[in-house]
Amino acid sequence: MVMRFLCLPGAYGSSDKFQVQLAPIVKELTEDGTATFHFIHGPCKAVPPDGFEEYFGKPPYFRFIEPDQDVEKTKDDDVLARIREFPDCETPEDTMRELMREGIASSHKSTDNALKYLVKIMEERGPFDAIIGYSEGATIAATLLLHEQRRFKKKGIKPMFKYAIFFAGWPPVDPDTHAMILSDESDLMIEIPTCHIIGSLDPYVHGSLALYNVCDPDTAYLFDHAKGHTLPRDKDTVKELGDVVREAANTYDIHM
């Protein structure tokens, strides 16, 4: 049976660019019939921070979350503008608290809109078995999973996703209050099995680890490709990652 993935790119990416970035892994998992992939991008049009235009390639650029227009005062109020000076504290949670210190604009409107946008895609183009998120896409994917869990408890609507793969990323936010969820402050936990692909040389690796720490420790798998804030592309690493996904599909019975 085939797993069907919904794929969310990072900020300033697009569905087309993410297909290119993820191509080796897509090839690995489609050639043997393990999975199929549906790519989307965020609903907000975006402009990369100064100096990052070449890094993100040619436009168009999209993101899932943007600062609320009525509170943003300067570009530095946008949390993504602070990636050039990412803090490095003693714990992943301390690092994220320092990043989100005073002066960050709220993103209530776009967070609500992003969740509604994704639920609509799930209803119209689903069902999906699993979700993949890269960077900002991982953060909003994790938030969506918490939204599904909360909706199930309140309304009895069974969650669609049974598995998640996070490439880098930061912790989710509370689907209602939009406060960042940190494991040393909250009991909220992503309950489905997860695979966390991190790069030990990633300057933002503390964000990835803070995301890992809010997932069920019994079913969260940490995979280090030993590089930076990128997606693995070399043959051996991709094959190893493919085996991890195939094993998870069998262990947790994740497929249509």
Side-chain angles (χ1 to χ4, degrees):
M1 301 295 285
V2 179
M3 296 173 67
R4 190 159 189 248
F5 281 96
L6 178 64
C7 305
L8 282 55
Y12 313 116
S14 68
S15 56
D16 290 342
K17 290 175 190 170
F18 197 33
Q19 287 186 62
V20 173
Q21 290 174 303
L22 209 60
I25 294 162
V26 169
K27 184 174 184 286
E28 172 69 25
L29 292 172
T30 54
E31 284 190 340
D32 67 353
T34 296
T36 62
F37 299 82
H38 182 75
F39 289 85
I40 64 169
H41 49 237
C44 307
K45 290 187 177 180
V47 177
D50 293 342
F52 278 78
E53 293 85 356
E54 287 190 16
Y55 177 82
F56 292 110
K58 295 180 180 179
Y61 309 107
F62 299 93
R63 57 194 289 190
F64 288 94
I65 299 174
E66 63 184 2
D68 292 328
Q69 291 182 354
D70 58 341
V71 297
E72 185 181 14
K73 302 295 191 301
T74 70
K75 285 185 177 181
D76 288 337
D77 295 343
D78 183 349
V79 66
L80 293 185
R82 295 189 175 182
I83 59 176
R84 287 166 292 192
E85 297 179 2
F86 199 79
D88 183 17
C89 301
E90 187 171 342
T91 70
E93 289 71 29
D94 285 343
T95 295
M96 298 313 295
R97 272 188 288 270
E98 176 63 20
L99 179 73
M100 304 302 290
R101 67 188 188 282
E102 284 184 35
I104 292 293
S106 62
S107 302
H108 297 299
K109 183 176 180 181
S110 65
T111 302
D112 280 338
N113 286 344
L115 290 173
K116 291 174 184 174
Y117 169 79
L118 290 170
V119 168
K120 188 169 187 284
I121 287 172
M122 291 162 60
E123 292 171 347
E124 293 180 352
R125 306 182 197 176
F128 299 99
D129 303 289
I131 192 165
I132 288 176
Y134 170 46
S135 198
E136 185 201 43
T139 300
I140 194 65
T143 303
L144 177 64
L145 296 175
L146 291 179
H147 167 75
E148 281 207 298
Q149 290 174 195
R150 188 167 292 173
R151 187 177 63 173
F152 177 63
K153 290 175 182 176
K154 288 183 177 180
K155 300 181 179 180
I157 300 173
K158 189 175 179 181
M160 181 178 291
F161 297 109
K162 309 175 191 74
Y163 185 60
I165 299 177
F166 301 124
F167 291 92
W170 294 353
V173 300
D174 185 287
D176 297 319
T177 68
H178 306 150
M180 181 174 283
I181 303 300
L182 297 173
S183 62
D184 61 357
E185 296 178 353
S186 173
D187 293 330
L188 272 178
M189 180 186 293
I190 292 171
E191 298 168 354
I192 64 171
T194 54
C195 179
H196 303 254
I197 295 90
I198 70 165
S200 51
L201 301 181
D202 184 352
Y204 319 124
V205 69
H206 268 192
S208 306
L209 294 173
L211 170 55
Y212 172 77
N213 288 343
V214 297
C215 296
D216 186 340
D218 292 332
T219 55
Y221 186 93
L222 197 62
F223 184 103
D224 182 7
H225 61 74
K227 294 185 179 177
H229 193 73
T230 58
L231 284 87
R233 298 183 66 86
D234 67 275
K235 187 175 180 180
D236 290 343
T237 304
V238 168
K239 173 65 167 61
E240 186 179 352
L241 179 56
D243 289 342
V244 169
V245 175
R246 282 183 281 266
E247 183 177 351
N250 291 327
T251 301
Y252 303 113
D253 196 25
I254 307 162
H255 46 65
M256 297 293 286

